[in-house]
Amino acid sequence: MTSKENIQQEIEQTLQCLDGVKRAEANPFLFTRIKARMAKKDSVWERTFSFISKPIIAMAIVLLVMAVNGWALLGSDSNNNTTIGDSANVSELANEYNVVASVDNYDYENLTNE
């Protein structure tokens, strides 16, 4: 056998393998599903959440929140040295919110329950 005969024989075998092949068929409901998806109107919330869920937008929001928190933490007024535990501030807070309890009646030196 010559190489041309071998090539011709290989071609015939390949074509015979393709004799039993059928055309591929799609799911009968596929077209209906595609039409329904195309006709579906997205709500405002779906469009908003799909926009926010993009990775670049989500990372930008996280970085923005972290920047605002850092600014609030580090950018507070450094001249205000009073603390919440100061009795004057607590009494002012109690007066403002009409709280009857007072921190001045508690004995910090004697912590027994008498």
Side-chain angles (χ1 to χ4, degrees):
M1 281 197 191
T2 64
S3 67
K4 285 187 176 185
E5 290 176 356
N6 282 340
I7 292 173
Q8 193 65 21
Q9 185 180 6
E10 289 294 325
I11 292 172
E12 290 297 325
Q13 286 178 351
T14 305
L15 290 176
Q16 287 175 359
C17 289
L18 296 175
D19 287 341
V21 175
K22 292 189 247 178
R23 184 180 177 122
E25 295 180 12
N27 186 351
F29 299 108
L30 179 65
F31 184 65
T32 307
R33 290 180 185 167
I34 291 173
K35 281 178 59 177
R37 180 69 178 176
M38 289 173 60
K40 180 181 173 188
K41 302 223 185 230
D42 290 337
S43 70
V44 175
W45 290 111
E46 287 179 0
R47 282 185 269 140
T48 302
F49 287 131
S50 68
F51 178 73
I52 291 174
S53 66
K54 293 180 182 178
I56 191 73
I57 303 299
M59 287 300 294
I61 291 172
V62 167
L63 290 175
L64 179 67
V65 168
M66 290 176 64
V68 169
N69 283 337
W71 175 72
L73 184 65
L74 298 176
S76 64
D77 188 13
S78 62
N79 294 334
N80 189 4
N81 292 331
T82 59
T83 62
I84 293 175
D86 192 10
S87 64
N89 287 340
V90 172
S91 63
E92 289 175 11
L93 187 68
N95 288 336
E96 184 176 341
Y97 290 103
N98 296 327
V99 177
V100 179
S102 174
V103 294
D104 295 332
N105 295 337
Y106 191 76
D107 186 9
Y108 290 103
E109 294 176 1
N110 187 9
L111 295 178
T112 59
N113 293 333
E114 294 180 4

